């Protein structure tokens, strides 16, 4: 029997074999969505940041499995939470994650946490401090619903979508492309699709302008995974060079680590990239009948043109739907049924 997972925090929390097994279950759940496996069980969904897809799909995942979800918006419907240890809590936060995690663990069988980076420093954010505090103090499994570093529920849905469209992802070329965006966005999504695609042995083409390199440890892990799975990771600084022959174009903007504490400098440098790093039908036509992916939300005509999103190359809605199926399979795995 499959052993329950302690926590699901990153794309590497599941091996390739375990991920493939989870996909088989997700596809069964897609055919027969309504179950009673989790009757009487509850999940707490703790959101420090906004969400459309994650909160809706997690809530409905629990419902369709016969269980129940309680969604908490931190500081809106709950007390503000402190996560750092040893703090004199005389500021805004009325409760510590230590108490919140322990008390919620008395009510629910799993906890999902969404916690974006605080952007004080990359050194702090890359430790995933809020998610790590919940993982340390909770007595139930933690599901990462997007942290500073990872969005592993998203990357599961992404790889299932790729597998459904082109069969085995192994050896298939995927472009993971930076895109212009007015804000400096988190790196959780590019980190996760990079690691997940590498884990599956895809030919990963990571395209970004110079100065927007991903974290060196993530790159090193991706290269290690790719080598182990017979794939590769190659960095391109010119988006045009990455496209020929690709089967998948995955666009996502992210902030620059090099200018993490210099947002005005990042904005200045980025202005010149606006027209070049936006996915158009011309890019898509350079691929091998490739399809377009994005985790959503996406800014139309900033990250990608309407012409791409409104065409049959758009796989974003399949990706969003697959969040539901993979999360249900994950909940069954985490809760040991
Ligand atoms: N893709 C994704 O996680 O969407 P939300 O931020 O709306 O949850």
């Amino acid at each position: 029997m499959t052993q329950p997972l302690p926590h699901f925090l990153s794309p590497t929390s599941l091996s390739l074999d375990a991920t493939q097994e989870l996909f088989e279950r997700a596809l069964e759940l897609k055919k027969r969505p309504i179950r009673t496996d989790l009757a009487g069980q509850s999940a707490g969904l703790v959101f420090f940041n906004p969400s459309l897809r994650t909160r809706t799909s997690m809530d409905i995942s629990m419902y369709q499995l016969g269980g129940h979800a309680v969604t908490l918006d931190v500081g809106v419907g709950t007390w503000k939470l402190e996560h750092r240890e040893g703090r004199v809590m005389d500021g805004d936060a009325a409760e510590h994650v230590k108490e919140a995690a322990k008390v919620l663990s008395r009510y629910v069988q799993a906890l999902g946490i969404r916690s974006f980076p605080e952007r004080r420093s990359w050194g702090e954010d890359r430790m995933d401090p809020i998610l790590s505090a919940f993982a340390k103090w909770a007595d139930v499994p933690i599901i990462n619903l997007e942290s500073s570093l990872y969005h592993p529920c998203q990357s599961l849905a992404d790889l299932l979508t790729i597998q459904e469209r082109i069969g085995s992802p192994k050896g298939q070329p995927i472009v993971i492309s930076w895109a212009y965006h007015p804000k400096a966005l988190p790196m959780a999504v590019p980190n996760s699709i990079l690691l997940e695609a590498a884990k599956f042995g895809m030919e990963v083409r990571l395209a970004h302008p110079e100065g927007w390199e991903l974290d060196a440890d993530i790159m090193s892990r991706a290269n290690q995974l790719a080598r182990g799975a017979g794939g590769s990771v190659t960095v391109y600084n010119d988006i045009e060079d990455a496209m020929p022959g690709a089967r998948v174009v995955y666009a996502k903007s992210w902030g620059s680590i090099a200018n993490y504490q210099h947002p005005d400098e990042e904005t200045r440098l980025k202005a010149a990239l606006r027209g070049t790093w936006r996915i158009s039908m011309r890019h898509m036509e350079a691929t091998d009948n490739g399809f377009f992916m994005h985790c959503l939300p996406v800014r139309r005509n900033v990250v990608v043109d309407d012409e791409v999103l409104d065409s049959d190359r758009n796989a974003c809605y399949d990706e969003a739907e697959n969040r539901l199926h993979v999360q249900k399979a994950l909940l069954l795995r985490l809760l040991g049924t």
Side-chain angles (χ1 to χ4, degrees):
M1 182 182 155
T2 308
Q3 291 301 309
L5 280 177
H7 295 308
F8 181 66
L9 304 181
S10 84
T12 54
S13 293
L14 287 173
S15 66
L16 176 59
D17 285 351
T19 308
Q20 284 169 330
E21 210 173 282
L22 187 133
F23 284 179
E24 280 171 31
R25 198 160 203 189
L27 291 170
E28 283 166 23
L29 289 160
K30 197 166 183 171
K31 285 192 211 129
R32 196 167 69 83
I34 309 303
R35 309 268 294 236
T36 55
D37 306 62
L38 299 189
Q41 301 209 51
S42 299
L45 309 176
V46 181
F47 284 85
F48 287 78
N49 311 95
S51 160
L52 185 148
R53 279 143 290 273
T54 303
R55 65 189 301 154
T56 310
S57 60
M58 282 299 292
D59 188 322
I60 292 171
S61 292
M62 282 302 289
Y63 175 72
Q64 291 189 348
L65 293 171
H68 175 69
V70 179
T71 300
L72 302 173
D73 291 300
V74 176
V76 181
T78 74
W79 309 110
K80 283 191 179 169
L81 295 177
E82 174 62 66
H83 62 275
R84 292 164 294 187
E85 292 185 38
R87 301 295 289 194
V88 176
M89 287 176 50
D90 58 359
D92 280 353
E95 181 152 33
H96 201 281
V97 166
K98 202 183 281 196
E99 277 71 52
K102 291 219 161 281
V103 170
L104 289 171
S105 299
R106 302 283 178 105
Y107 302 143
V108 301
Q109 283 66 50
L111 276 171
I113 311 295
R114 167 163 285 199
S115 58
F116 289 174
E118 295 189 299
R119 286 200 70 86
R120 280 196 288 259
S121 88
W122 177 240
E124 280 178 33
D125 287 339
R126 71 186 301 287
M127 305 309 288
D128 259 344
I130 296 177
L131 182 74
S132 303
F134 272 95
K136 179 171 179 181
W137 298 113
D139 298 312
V140 295
I142 297 292
I143 303 171
N144 183 350
L145 301 181
E146 190 175 346
S147 66
S148 304
L149 271 188
Y150 301 120
H151 195 356
C153 292
Q154 181 66 52
S155 62
L156 286 179
D158 297 338
L159 261 292
L160 180 61
T161 306
I162 292 169
Q163 187 178 289
E164 283 182 316
R165 290 203 165 216
I166 59 175
S168 170
K170 189 174 166 68
Q172 299 286 1
I174 177 174
V175 176
I176 301 173
S177 177
W178 184 86
Y180 173 85
H181 191 285
K183 295 187 174 169
L185 297 183
M187 282 158 264
V189 168
N191 287 344
S192 298
I193 182 65
L194 170 67
L195 292 174
E196 203 79 66
K199 187 169 95 182
F200 274 80
M202 295 189 78
E203 183 204 317
V204 180
R205 305 174 183 178
L206 179 64
H208 59 73
E210 281 181 57
W212 273 266
E213 288 75 22
L214 292 176
D215 182 84
D217 286 350
I218 301 274
M219 290 302 295
S220 164
R221 186 76 181 111
N223 276 298
Q224 191 185 19
L225 284 168
R227 275 195 301 276
S232 60
V233 177
T234 308
V235 174
Y236 293 75
N237 290 139
D238 185 332
I239 189 172
E240 310 290 337
D241 292 345
M243 295 293 172
R247 303 296 307 279
V248 187
V249 176
Y250 195 111
K252 184 71 182 79
S253 188
W254 64 85
S256 156
I257 295 175
N259 279 303
Y260 210 68
Q261 278 155 315
H262 309 286
D264 292 345
E265 178 62 3
E266 175 162 4
T267 303
R268 191 186 68 75
L269 291 170
K270 211 163 44 177
L273 305 169
R274 183 172 182 147
T276 320
W277 292 84
R278 186 184 76 233
I279 305 298
S280 67
M281 195 52 95
R282 186 180 60 75
H283 290 122
M284 298 307 299
E285 282 167 357
T287 66
D288 178 9
N289 198 26
F291 54 93
F292 177 82
M293 299 183 76
H294 190 285
C295 61
L296 305 180
V298 69
R299 291 192 183 222
R300 283 175 170 256
N301 304 311
V302 174
V303 168
V304 54
D305 289 353
D306 278 345
E307 197 186 359
V308 175
L309 280 179
D310 296 333
S311 76
D312 59 9
R313 290 181 185 262
N314 178 0
C316 300
Y317 310 136
D318 292 347
E319 268 179 281
E321 182 194 329
N322 280 336
R323 290 288 302 275
L324 185 62
H325 309 304
V326 296
Q327 286 162 192
K328 286 167 72 181
L330 180 69
L331 284 163
L332 292 177
R333 167 109 202 224
L334 282 166
L335 298 177
T337 63

